[in-house]
Amino acid sequence: MLRPPCSRFWFLSLLFLASATRPLPAQGGAERLFVDSLFHDLARAHTTEQLPRAERCGGREATVARLCEGLRLTRVAEFSGQGDDAIKAEALLRRAVDDRPKWATAWYGLGVARLELARAKVLAKEGPLQVVGLSFEAGAGNALVRALELDSTLSGAAEALALAPIPREGASQLGARARALRRLRYSLPLSPSARFAMARIEREAGNVDTAIVYLHEAMAQGADTGLVDLELARDLHLAGRPAEGRAALIAGAVATGSPLAAMRYREELAWVATPEELHAWDSLPLPQRSTWLDVFWASRDVREGREPGERLIEHYRRVELAMSNFRIAIPQKGRQRLRSTAIAGDLMDLNGGGSVVGSGNNGSSRVSASESAQSAVTASQDSYAATLGADVPFRQFGIGQDVLDDRGVIWIRHGKPDREQGTIGGTAKAVWMYDRPGEAPLVLFFAEVDFDGTSGASVLIPTPIGSDGQALEQLCGQINGMCDRLQPGNTVGVAGNGRFGAGRSGALTTGRVPAPNLVADDRGRGTENIVRAVTTDAYPRKFTAPLDPVVQVYGLERSSGGAPRLVVAFAIPGGKLNYATPPEAGGRAVYPIHVKLISVDRTTGERRELDTLRQFAAAKPLVEGEWLTGMLSVPAATYGASLLLTQDDGRGALARLATVRVPGALPQLDISSVVLGREGTGVRWNSGATVVALNPLNAYQTGATAELYYQLSGLVPGTEYDTRLEFFSTLEDSKPPKLSLGFKTTATQPRAEIGRSVALGKLPPGSYRLRVTVRGGGTAASESATLVVRKP
């Protein structure tokens, strides 16, 4: 997930070897020869046992001895990973720098020792070129820059400077680093990895065009193609070159043979993918990854009714904002130390199909998101409280990365919230709300985890219940809808208007607690929202007013053959539409509607569009209860499609159309989508042999007749087939059908179009599922459709 290219500092052997034969300014000949020899021996060692012993540094002038032992202990720290070894090394090298401030090797050693201290997450302290409060990564950069100022041939220091992690202070500490590396760009034989890392430095410093140049240089020198293409994708989008960025991302997907490139591509995908999509990616052979990734992003454009590439552009825009605003910036304590404990596992158990991961004192436990999370709540809360204190909010969402806090994770998946509110004073808490047309709003709560007042509300929690009354009032009392699930009458100690935490006309009584049933219910709902948030993503279109269409989708074939068709019938409430009465319309009301049907093929990524402006005319303006209907047809997609309906004033709607299978896809008996039409709607589709009446509303008055149509394929001529029509109440789907009809036919051709008029007089008002089952020749096929029967 956009990590630095080298998260450990095992490259010291390369750096020492690269420095071994370089001049060492301000040192005498004997000293220079000794340090050269020491670098050589340190570079050859692959284990602690192979390192020179401490006696190697004895019998030397004091500063040389400190330099020697400091470099040796730095290498020991690299092998051991122990902070104590790095602390000793840094102390010795700091004294060497104080004694001989013009020794480039002393500054170089100090810089590398500080990198080891950063890796061991030792708290930074003041030292040469490191003021109070500056991170060790930043202090290391300053020391390495100084080494290169004293000796521009010290290639080891240049490699270390390039490969060092970006400090938590960000761009403010990168200017000198970038300038030093630019000066040495052509004079030193920098490795492809160093040039790759230099590009990252330039991007973070705000020089994205330079970063792109460095990435191309790294590629030309043999850097990992997958890694370079992934970085290029981000940088090219940042530079306003999205077409090139997308091309780099897709091309690099097949170059993920190296473990590191494979890991980085998966991490990039994990920002937005569902658990199922990640599982599919993991199982893909390398040659198929580019096509799969192309389809992945193309399908999201189609799903949101967006232009090609628009969703990926938005993704990288969100990434840049999240990296600027929600990057974890306190490495020595709090969240990153917590990550190494056994509190939570992978991001929402990404291989577990949407489970919620918690961890108790005895290990991990998983519960389905649809079940009560109470057992996991208790165990995880106990473990979390034991780690950070009893007042810590329950932490249900497992940390799967250590780059961004939870707000950043949600920001990349869902963007800027439509509404947000936070607390003032005390432990920070916040609530974000996303409006989702056609589904329940997504409401998410965050709480501060480090308790030092600097990190903000950074951790997802399922409920704010347990906070003091003032915090709840600040979260829920200012914006309607934020905490509506906290119902009145279910709390203990509520004053004012009775809403828990949402009282505009009164205040909550401090120190009182909500009823236990409210706590359990709210925590369960909050957990479901967290699961929904971290396993989905969205970039919804915004409209000035919703059109609320009803859409029916059918997968059908033309009688003459050719590509299967996706037939879409829609109905829009007339009262929601804007109209005009131009003179040329002769007094009629004209409704201009921009209709766009977009589909994508999941096997090829091919995108198809039907984009048209239609002028619907009515004798008089439509009123409530009247509908404007239409139909369109395009080649069927094997992945999905969306129907976008808009008007010039910004009102509109997006209908996502599920994958529709068409007849003929199977070699045996097969049935198409079932059409329930109605005469008089004015909406028809011509198969080439049959005119099919459609009914976009799928609604009928009591006693009406439905025009049933479907297609069969895989028939064996001369074979008798039995057809059964069964109408089940959707409220009682497991019970026997309310109406059952049947008939027999003998096939004359391998394919047939079936049309029947079905009287619905025996069905009382309600919602129904029609199941059509065809049996014959030892095979069977079935398909369903829904309808509504209403009172006249």
Side-chain angles (χ1 to χ4, degrees), residues 605-624:
E606 181 184 1
R607 174 180 168 127
R608 302 187 183 99
E609 288 188 20
L610 175 62
D611 193 348
T612 180
L613 177 64
R614 294 192 176 182
Q615 304 281 351
F616 296 86
K620 59 182 182 61
L622 301 176
V623 297
E624 185 176 353

Side-chain angles (χ1 to χ4, degrees), residues 37-291:
S37 173
L38 177 64
F39 272 123
H40 184 269
D41 291 342
L42 291 174
R44 290 194 309 169
H46 299 289
T47 64
T48 304
E49 291 72 22
Q50 295 174 347
L51 288 172
R53 302 183 65 83
E55 291 80 5
R56 174 76 175 275
C57 301
R60 301 283 172 181
E61 187 268 331
T63 302
V64 175
R66 293 187 190 105
L67 175 64
C68 173
E69 182 63 5
L71 292 172
R72 194 189 72 83
L73 284 175
T74 299
R75 193 82 161 112
V76 171
E78 179 193 354
F79 290 132
S80 69
Q82 297 298 315
D84 289 345
D85 294 323
I87 290 171
K88 294 175 185 176
E90 192 269 347
L92 288 166
L93 292 163
R94 184 158 23 98
R95 287 197 62 187
V97 163
D98 288 338
D99 291 343
R100 298 289 190 275
K102 296 204 178 283
W103 280 11
T105 48
W107 284 104
Y108 167 43
L110 179 61
V112 177
R114 285 174 176 174
L115 293 179
E116 283 297 330
L117 287 169
R119 178 161 72 97
K121 291 185 170 56
V122 176
L123 284 171
K125 60 182 179 181
E126 185 179 11
L129 296 183
Q130 178 153 336
V131 298
V132 175
L134 198 66
S135 68
F136 271 133
E137 292 92 342
N142 292 341
L144 293 168
V145 168
R146 181 59 176 149
L148 290 168
E149 289 172 346
L150 293 169
D151 181 1
S152 61
T153 67
L154 199 58
S155 58
E159 289 276 336
L161 185 61
L163 294 169
I166 300 295
R168 68 168 182 261
E169 293 87 353
S172 65
Q173 293 296 319
L174 293 177
R177 188 183 300 195
R179 289 191 295 273
L181 290 170
R182 257 183 249 137
R183 286 195 301 269
L184 302 171
R185 178 180 172 188
Y186 297 116
S187 61
L188 289 180
L190 296 173
S191 68
S193 294
R195 294 194 184 276
F196 178 89
M198 287 162 60
R200 178 174 48 89
I201 293 169
E202 293 288 355
R203 182 189 65 218
E204 295 295 327
N207 307 315
V208 66
D209 290 332
T210 305
I212 293 169
V213 171
Y214 283 174
L215 287 172
H216 284 298
E217 289 180 357
M219 180 90 77
Q221 289 186 3
D224 189 310
T225 302
L227 291 175
V228 173
D229 276 333
L230 188 59
E231 289 293 307
L232 274 172
R234 180 183 175 187
D235 289 355
L236 286 165
H237 276 87
L238 183 59
R241 298 155 62 181
E244 297 173 68
R246 182 188 180 94
L249 179 70
I250 302 306
V254 295
T256 51
S258 72
L260 187 56
M263 180 184 72
R264 297 291 163 75
Y265 257 86
R266 192 185 195 279
E267 288 177 339
E268 178 67 28
L269 189 63
W271 287 124
V272 291
T274 67
E276 294 76 18
E277 287 168 330
L278 279 174
H279 180 72
W281 171 264
D282 291 339
S283 63
L284 281 173
L286 278 179
Q288 298 179 17
R289 288 190 167 182
S290 283
T291 299

Side-chain angles (χ1 to χ4, degrees), residues 347-361:
L347 181 65
M348 299 309 298
D349 188 17
L350 289 174
N351 294 320
S355 294
V356 177
V357 177
S359 175
N361 294 326

